[in-house]
Amino acid sequence: MHQVERLGAGSLVRGWFRMLVGLTIGSLTGVAGLAAAAAGVGVVGLTEYELGRITRFDRAVHTNPLTRQGCRRYLAVRWLVGALGAGVICLLAFWYAIGISMVTAWLFDGDWALVEDADRVTLGLLALVAIPGALVIFVTTAGVVGVAVLDRWLATAMLGTSQQTLLRERVAELKSTRAEVIEAIDDERRRIERDLHDGVQQRLVALGMLIGRAKRARGEEQLQELLRQAHDTAGEAIDELREVATRVYPAVLDDAGLDAALEVLAERSSVRVEISNRLGSSPGTALETVIYFVTSEAVNNAAKHADPSLVEIHVRPDGEGGIAVLVRDDGIGGADPTGTGLSGLARRVKAVDGDFEVTSPPGGPTTIYARVPCE
């Protein structure tokens, strides 16, 4: 508990000093911003610098796309915050200088104190100014935080979106994503039902008919032929059932991880598949599942509709805290992003706050890109 309290106090102190540095820089750039706003030159670049300063020394500001007119208005007002920050910093430095000079002059019997009584600093004088001095220093210290908050609020109010608006947009997005995920699950269930009905069920019906014919066979040769056909049909039914089960969820993904699952996908594909997986460690079961189904659906779509000679799969960190998945084939192109398979993938990726994009001009090649965040 004491360690947590020390960490919290240390974090507050470090945060205050970051705000002080940011406010000092902002006080200096306020005049430059006013001049840029008056001249109408370099306002976008200077606004970007101010936003970067606030983000570095305080917190990120969510802004709309910057416009020259909006940046000019912001800089024309922001110099007032810079001037206020300069005043707070000067007042803070002044009272700290008074306090330090009085304490050191009293300790070392010096005559350099900014406030003295007959060229001396007595204990009574220190006691007299201690309480009002401490209050002034506390207020100016808190004023640093206040001006920093005002600086961030001004940027948000004039250039960006408030936290409340962002939260409302996020809630609306989550509601939409939830509805799309439910729709994608229903689509997947219908597809599984269709696969079972059109594939496995037909094989099992044919198997039952072959067994029935075998029971009525009159000769040994006819019996053996029917049993051979029944055996082949049973094997085909098992293969199709295994394919359906893999589309539902590949067991190898849990047993051996993403690398093995992609290798099995490549082995079962009817086209040549090359895999490049540069992930150093597992991103977690949920993300591995999304990555696998993106690649699986892309490969199956290419094999069924694009007639490619090669499908390439690239999985790698994107350098921004996410994972990029790229599936490219050299087929005939023309893939429809609104189709059942690809639109289902887009909803699945969006459910984890990811991005999904399909590029498939007529004549090819087709490129499917997905990005999923790791956090």
Side-chain angles (χ1 to χ4, degrees):
M1 178 65 71
H2 293 300
Q3 183 177 3
V4 173
E5 291 175 353
R6 286 195 299 270
L7 289 175
S11 178
L12 286 175
V13 172
R14 288 192 297 272
W16 183 86
F17 275 106
R18 282 199 305 270
M19 289 182 182
L20 178 62
V21 174
L23 198 59
T24 303
I25 297 174
S27 301
L28 299 175
T29 58
V31 178
L34 179 61
V41 178
V43 290
V44 175
L46 190 54
T47 300
E48 291 176 345
Y49 176 82
E50 294 288 0
L51 294 175
R53 174 186 59 80
I54 296 173
T55 299
R56 180 177 180 183
F57 295 106
D58 191 0
R59 288 206 305 264
V61 178
H62 301 280
T63 63
N64 300 320
L66 298 179
T67 63
R68 185 172 179 273
Q69 184 177 4
C71 293
R72 191 172 184 178
R73 285 198 303 265
Y74 167 70
L75 293 176
V77 177
R78 211 228 132 242
W79 74 272
L80 295 171
V81 179
L84 180 61
V88 170
I89 292 171
C90 291
L91 189 60
L92 182 66
F94 175 71
W95 283 104
Y96 267 109
I98 290 177
I100 293 173
S101 66
M102 290 183 68
V103 171
T104 54
W106 175 69
L107 288 174
F108 301 104
D109 197 22
D111 58 355
W112 54 77
L114 297 179
V115 177
E116 297 177 329
D117 181 13
D119 294 333
R120 292 190 60 192
V121 177
T122 63
L123 186 59
L125 181 61
L126 279 178
L128 182 64
V129 302
I131 294 179
L135 289 175
V136 171
I137 290 176
F138 173 79
V139 170
T140 51
T141 301
V144 171
V145 178
V147 177
V149 171
L150 178 63
D151 200 5
R152 188 176 68 249
W153 173 84
L154 181 66
T156 301
M158 300 193 68
L159 300 172
T161 307
S162 67
Q163 291 293 332
Q164 289 78 9
T165 302
L166 289 173
L167 287 174
R168 286 194 294 268
E169 292 176 353
R170 180 60 174 160
V171 169
E173 181 183 355
L174 289 175
K175 288 181 179 179
S176 174
T177 301
R178 182 181 64 180
E180 291 176 352
V181 169
I182 293 174
E183 184 180 352
I185 292 173
D186 290 339
D187 289 343
E188 191 66 23
R189 286 173 177 169
R190 286 191 288 269
R191 186 168 71 165
I192 293 170
E193 181 182 6
R194 186 172 60 250
D195 291 342
L196 290 173
H197 180 273
D198 297 341
V200 178
Q201 179 176 303
Q202 298 302 320
R203 299 289 184 187
L204 293 178
V205 170
L207 176 61
M209 294 176 63
L210 287 171
I211 294 176
R213 291 176 60 190
K215 287 181 178 180
R216 297 187 299 271
R218 297 179 180 275
E220 181 67 22
E221 182 177 349
Q222 184 184 14
L223 175 61
Q224 293 300 323
E225 176 62 22
L226 290 172
L227 289 177
R228 184 188 63 78
Q229 293 179 19
H231 181 270
D232 293 342
T233 302
E236 293 171 355
I238 292 173
D239 289 340
E240 290 195 15
L241 187 59
R242 185 180 293 114
E243 289 295 327
V244 172
T246 300
R247 286 197 292 272
V248 174
Y249 188 85
V252 67
L253 196 59
D254 281 338
D255 298 337
L258 182 62
D259 272 332
L262 294 178
E263 291 294 340
V264 171
L265 173 65
E267 292 172 1
R268 292 181 176 177
S269 176
S270 59
V271 298
R272 185 163 66 94
V273 178
E274 293 183 355
I275 302 171
S276 172
N277 183 4
R278 299 181 183 177
L279 298 182
S281 58
S282 171
T285 302
L287 293 184
E288 283 189 340
T289 303
V290 173
I291 293 170
Y292 173 81
F293 278 108
V294 168
T295 56
S296 175
E297 185 66 31
V299 171
N300 290 333
N301 273 359
K304 289 180 181 179
H305 307 296
D307 190 27
S309 61
L310 173 65
V311 178
E312 301 175 52
I313 299 174
H314 300 274
V315 183
R316 64 181 186 276
D318 67 351
E320 299 179 358
I323 297 174
V325 182
L326 187 71
V327 182
R328 181 186 296 113
D329 70 72
D330 59 357
I332 60 175
D336 182 11
T338 62
T340 303
L342 292 179
S343 62
L345 281 184
R347 290 191 290 265
R348 186 187 289 269
V349 172
K350 191 175 180 181
V352 293
D353 287 337
D355 301 316
F356 186 81
E357 181 181 351
V358 178
T359 304
S360 184
T366 296
T367 301
I368 295 177
Y369 170 81
R371 179 193 178 275
V372 292
C374 291
E375 298 179 356

